PDB file of all heavy atoms in Angstrom:
ATOM      1  N   ASN A  92      -4.444 -10.875 -16.192  1.00 84.00           N
ATOM      2  CA  ASN A  92      -5.857 -11.132 -15.883  1.00 84.00           C
ATOM      3  C   ASN A  92      -6.033 -11.702 -14.489  1.00 84.00           C
ATOM      4  O   ASN A  92      -6.928 -11.289 -13.748  1.00 84.00           O
ATOM      5  CB  ASN A  92      -6.473 -12.064 -16.928  1.00 84.00           C
ATOM      6  CG  ASN A  92      -6.588 -11.410 -18.282  1.00 84.00           C
ATOM      7  OD1 ASN A  92      -6.530 -10.194 -18.410  1.00 84.00           O
ATOM      8  ND2 ASN A  92      -6.740 -12.214 -19.319  1.00 84.00           N
ATOM      9  N   ASP A  93      -5.189 -12.659 -14.103  1.00 81.00           N
ATOM     10  CA  ASP A  93      -5.286 -13.223 -12.751  1.00 81.00           C
ATOM     11  C   ASP A  93      -4.974 -12.170 -11.691  1.00 81.00           C
ATOM     12  O   ASP A  93      -5.655 -12.081 -10.671  1.00 81.00           O
ATOM     13  CB  ASP A  93      -4.348 -14.416 -12.582  1.00 81.00           C
ATOM     14  CG  ASP A  93      -4.929 -15.685 -13.176  1.00 81.00           C
ATOM     15  OD1 ASP A  93      -6.091 -15.667 -13.611  1.00 81.00           O
ATOM     16  OD2 ASP A  93      -4.206 -16.703 -13.197  1.00 81.00           O
ATOM     17  N   PHE A  94      -3.954 -11.378 -11.940  1.00 82.00           N
ATOM     18  CA  PHE A  94      -3.593 -10.323 -10.998  1.00 82.00           C
ATOM     19  C   PHE A  94      -4.717  -9.308 -10.871  1.00 82.00           C
ATOM     20  O   PHE A  94      -5.047  -8.853  -9.775  1.00 82.00           O
ATOM     21  CB  PHE A  94      -2.299  -9.638 -11.443  1.00 82.00           C
ATOM     22  CG  PHE A  94      -1.988  -8.388 -10.682  1.00 82.00           C
ATOM     23  CD1 PHE A  94      -1.613  -8.440  -9.352  1.00 82.00           C
ATOM     24  CD2 PHE A  94      -2.097  -7.146 -11.289  1.00 82.00           C
ATOM     25  CE1 PHE A  94      -1.344  -7.287  -8.640  1.00 82.00           C
ATOM     26  CE2 PHE A  94      -1.822  -5.990 -10.594  1.00 82.00           C
ATOM     27  CZ  PHE A  94      -1.442  -6.061  -9.262  1.00 82.00           C
ATOM     28  N   SER A  95      -5.333  -8.959 -11.990  1.00 87.00           N
ATOM     29  CA  SER A  95      -6.357  -7.913 -11.964  1.00 87.00           C
ATOM     30  C   SER A  95      -7.568  -8.308 -11.135  1.00 87.00           C
ATOM     31  O   SER A  95      -8.176  -7.454 -10.485  1.00 87.00           O
ATOM     32  CB  SER A  95      -6.764  -7.523 -13.382  1.00 87.00           C
ATOM     33  OG  SER A  95      -7.359  -8.612 -14.044  1.00 87.00           O
ATOM     34  N   SER A  96      -7.918  -9.586 -11.124  1.00 83.00           N
ATOM     35  CA  SER A  96      -9.069  -9.994 -10.304  1.00 83.00           C
ATOM     36  C   SER A  96      -8.779  -9.783  -8.822  1.00 83.00           C
ATOM     37  O   SER A  96      -9.655  -9.354  -8.067  1.00 83.00           O
ATOM     38  CB  SER A  96      -9.434 -11.449 -10.583  1.00 83.00           C
ATOM     39  OG  SER A  96      -8.384 -12.317 -10.217  1.00 83.00           O
ATOM     40  N   HIS A  97      -7.572 -10.050  -8.394  1.00 82.00           N
ATOM     41  CA  HIS A  97      -7.192  -9.812  -6.995  1.00 82.00           C
ATOM     42  C   HIS A  97      -7.039  -8.315  -6.720  1.00 82.00           C
ATOM     43  O   HIS A  97      -7.401  -7.839  -5.651  1.00 82.00           O
ATOM     44  CB  HIS A  97      -5.892 -10.544  -6.655  1.00 82.00           C
ATOM     45  CG  HIS A  97      -6.008 -12.021  -6.781  1.00 82.00           C
ATOM     46  ND1 HIS A  97      -6.723 -12.789  -5.904  1.00 82.00           N
ATOM     47  CD2 HIS A  97      -5.513 -12.875  -7.708  1.00 82.00           C
ATOM     48  CE1 HIS A  97      -6.661 -14.049  -6.270  1.00 82.00           C
ATOM     49  NE2 HIS A  97      -5.934 -14.129  -7.368  1.00 82.00           N
ATOM     50  N   LEU A  98      -6.500  -7.597  -7.689  1.00 85.00           N
ATOM     51  CA  LEU A  98      -6.316  -6.162  -7.523  1.00 85.00           C
ATOM     52  C   LEU A  98      -7.652  -5.452  -7.331  1.00 85.00           C
ATOM     53  O   LEU A  98      -7.775  -4.564  -6.493  1.00 85.00           O
ATOM     54  CB  LEU A  98      -5.579  -5.584  -8.739  1.00 85.00           C
ATOM     55  CG  LEU A  98      -5.309  -4.093  -8.722  1.00 85.00           C
ATOM     56  CD1 LEU A  98      -4.361  -3.743  -7.577  1.00 85.00           C
ATOM     57  CD2 LEU A  98      -4.716  -3.653 -10.051  1.00 85.00           C
ATOM     58  N   LYS A  99      -8.652  -5.859  -8.081  1.00 88.00           N
ATOM     59  CA  LYS A  99      -9.966  -5.226  -7.977  1.00 88.00           C
ATOM     60  C   LYS A  99     -10.535  -5.365  -6.564  1.00 88.00           C
ATOM     61  O   LYS A  99     -11.081  -4.402  -6.011  1.00 88.00           O
ATOM     62  CB  LYS A  99     -10.935  -5.825  -8.991  1.00 88.00           C
ATOM     63  CG  LYS A  99     -12.288  -5.149  -8.966  1.00 88.00           C
ATOM     64  CD  LYS A  99     -13.211  -5.667 -10.032  1.00 88.00           C
ATOM     65  CE  LYS A  99     -14.521  -4.895  -9.998  1.00 88.00           C
ATOM     66  NZ  LYS A  99     -15.403  -5.277 -11.076  1.00 88.00           N
ATOM     67  N   VAL A 100     -10.379  -6.540  -5.973  1.00 86.00           N
ATOM     68  CA  VAL A 100     -10.879  -6.764  -4.602  1.00 86.00           C
ATOM     69  C   VAL A 100     -10.216  -5.788  -3.636  1.00 86.00           C
ATOM     70  O   VAL A 100     -10.887  -5.146  -2.823  1.00 86.00           O
ATOM     71  CB  VAL A 100     -10.627  -8.226  -4.161  1.00 86.00           C
ATOM     72  CG1 VAL A 100     -10.908  -8.415  -2.684  1.00 86.00           C
ATOM     73  CG2 VAL A 100     -11.453  -9.181  -5.004  1.00 86.00           C
TER      74      VAL A 100
END
Side-chain angles (χ1 to χ4, degrees):
N92 292 342
D93 280 354
F94 169 70
S95 64
S96 63
H97 298 288
L98 180 64
K99 183 176 183 175
V100 170

